């Protein structure tokens, strides 16, 4: 089942969830599940609120709602950059349920590679050395959907855009996942997608922001279930600022701008 399938929303909301395994690299409880109902079967990710790790800067029990909030913002742009995501009851209590995205094997969109191995057209983000002391480069694809995702991350204030959170689906579309620490009132943008620093926003990004602007009144009502009024106002303020500057922001020197680990 692809994210664009019209039956996805109903399946995620009402389907029967059966836990099949756990994604052990995740910092919070992240369960790989089968979900079925009304003759449909798919896989999903289920993150119960009870399995969230307490953070000093994000209120306890809010990460699942922020995942849904990021999905709602993405949907308001009309670009579907986040897989269908709902907040519902599950085997271990309420939590975030998101459609699993099958990816193209060997078709990474973000990578750490040798300086001479960076694919043509890719954007270089950071020069470093690997664990053997050899030169390495953090780089990402120049895919238009990644550029849109980078702008969306600015608006939702994504504090954890790792390379492994950018997926190239088997349906050909690009998706961002793992948005539990976003939509904070304070500036917290940490991302591997810094490849367009200081460049003017292209027409497709400006169009995305305009669509989001028009959707803000209705979106604010939908977000009220998951965010505080201050967080919704901050979302609008970031949208205002990005439209005003009309360029990709530059990371500040007073904070860590790339998540660790980067994948």
């Amino acid at each position: 089942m692809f994210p664009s399938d019209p039956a996805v929303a109903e399946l995620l909301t009402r389907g029967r969830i059966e836990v099949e395994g756990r994604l052990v690299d995740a910092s919070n409880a992240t369960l790989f599940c089968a979900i079925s109902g009304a003759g449909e079967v798919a896989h999903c990710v289920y993150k119960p609120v009870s399995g969230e790790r307490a953070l000093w800067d994000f209120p306890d029990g809010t990460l699942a709602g922020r995942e849904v909030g990021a999905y709602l913002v993405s949907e308001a742009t009309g670009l579907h950059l986040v897989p269908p995501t709902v907040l519902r009851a599950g085997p271990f209590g309420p939590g975030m349920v998101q459609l699993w995205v099958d990816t193209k094997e060997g078709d990474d969109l973000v990578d750490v590679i040798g300086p001479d191995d960076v694919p043509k057209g890719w954007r270089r983000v950071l020069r470093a050395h690997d664990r053997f002391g050899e030169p390495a480069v953090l780089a990402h694809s120049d895919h238009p959907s990644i550029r849109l995702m980078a702008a969306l991350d600015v608006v939702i204030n994504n504090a954890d855009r790792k390379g492994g959170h950018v997926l190239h689906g088997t349906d050909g579309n690009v998706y961002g996942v793992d948005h539990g620490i976003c939509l904070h009132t304070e500036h917290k943008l940490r991302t591997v997608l810094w490849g367009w620093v200081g460049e003017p926003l292209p027409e497709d990004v400006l169009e995305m922001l305009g669509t989001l602007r028009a959707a803000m009144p209705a979106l604010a009502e939908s977000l009220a279930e998951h965010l505080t009024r201050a967080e919704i106002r901050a979302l609008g303020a970031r949208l205002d600022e990005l439209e005003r500057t009309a360029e990709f922001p530059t990371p500040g020197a007073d904070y860590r701008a790339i998540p660790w680990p980067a994948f």
Side-chain angles (χ1 to χ4, degrees), residues 56-58 153-159 183-191 194 234 238 241 249-257:
W56 69 269
D57 53 347
F58 282 81
D153 280 345
V154 176
V155 176
I156 66 173
N157 197 18
N158 193 347
L183 294 163
H184 201 287
T185 56
E186 299 175 6
H187 179 70
K188 292 183 178 292
L189 181 63
R190 289 191 293 269
T191 175
W194 287 112
R238 291 189 296 270
E241 179 65 9
T250 300
D254 57 343
Y255 73 101
R256 179 166 52 88

Side-chain angles (χ1 to χ4, degrees), residues 11-260:
L11 181 62
L12 291 181
T13 303
R14 303 185 184 278
R16 175 183 173 83
I17 297 172
E18 296 184 15
V19 177
E20 295 188 346
R22 179 173 180 175
L23 305 183
V24 296
D25 291 336
S27 55
N28 298 293
T30 303
L31 305 176
F32 177 72
C33 305
I35 187 166
S36 59
E40 301 286 351
V41 179
H43 282 104
C44 67
V45 172
Y46 164 50
K47 297 182 182 180
V49 173
S50 60
E52 293 180 3
R53 178 170 57 91
L55 301 172
W56 69 269
D57 53 347
F58 282 81
D60 293 351
T62 68
L63 305 192
R66 294 175 193 279
E67 295 252 23
V68 178
Y71 167 69
L72 294 174
V73 175
S74 169
E75 287 300 285
T77 69
L79 296 176
H80 317 298
L81 293 170
V82 177
T85 310
V86 301
L87 187 66
R88 56 160 288 181
F92 299 104
M96 182 281 287
V97 177
Q98 183 177 82
L99 184 71
W100 177 266
V101 174
D102 290 317
T103 58
K104 296 183 176 183
E105 188 175 351
D107 195 10
D108 295 331
L109 296 170
V110 184
D111 207 351
V112 176
I113 43 186
D116 297 331
D117 299 323
V118 178
K120 184 178 180 180
W122 273 41
R123 298 290 181 128
R124 297 169 186 252
V125 174
L126 179 69
R127 297 178 184 273
H129 290 84
D130 64 19
R131 61 194 179 95
F132 302 109
E134 296 297 323
V137 174
L138 172 63
H140 61 73
S141 168
D142 197 27
H143 193 292
S145 291
I146 298 202
R147 188 173 57 207
L148 290 162
M149 188 181 298
L152 181 66
D153 280 345
V154 176
V155 176
I156 66 173
N157 197 18
N158 193 347
D160 196 34
R161 175 63 75 202
K162 291 181 168 67
H165 300 168
V166 183
L167 309 179
H168 202 174
T170 55
D171 60 356
N173 295 327
V174 174
Y175 300 98
V177 298
D178 213 343
H179 297 101
I181 51 175
C182 65
L183 294 163
H184 201 287
T185 56
E186 299 175 6
H187 179 70
K188 292 183 178 292
L189 181 63
R190 289 191 293 269
T191 175
V192 296
L193 304 181
W194 287 112
W196 297 278
V197 166
E199 294 186 15
L201 300 180
E203 189 60 35
D204 58 346
V205 172
L206 293 172
E207 184 177 340
M208 178 187 76
L209 299 180
T211 300
L212 183 57
R213 165 70 57 204
M216 276 301 295
L219 176 60
E221 292 187 17
S222 299
L223 290 173
E225 182 180 349
H226 309 290
L227 304 176
T228 65
R229 284 180 290 182
E231 288 167 339
I232 295 171
R233 287 196 299 269
L235 169 68
R238 291 189 296 270
L239 176 58
D240 289 343
E241 179 65 9
L242 191 55
E243 287 188 310
R244 183 189 68 79
T245 61
E247 66 179 32
F248 285 98
T250 300
D254 57 343
Y255 73 101
R256 179 166 52 88
I258 294 177
W260 184 259

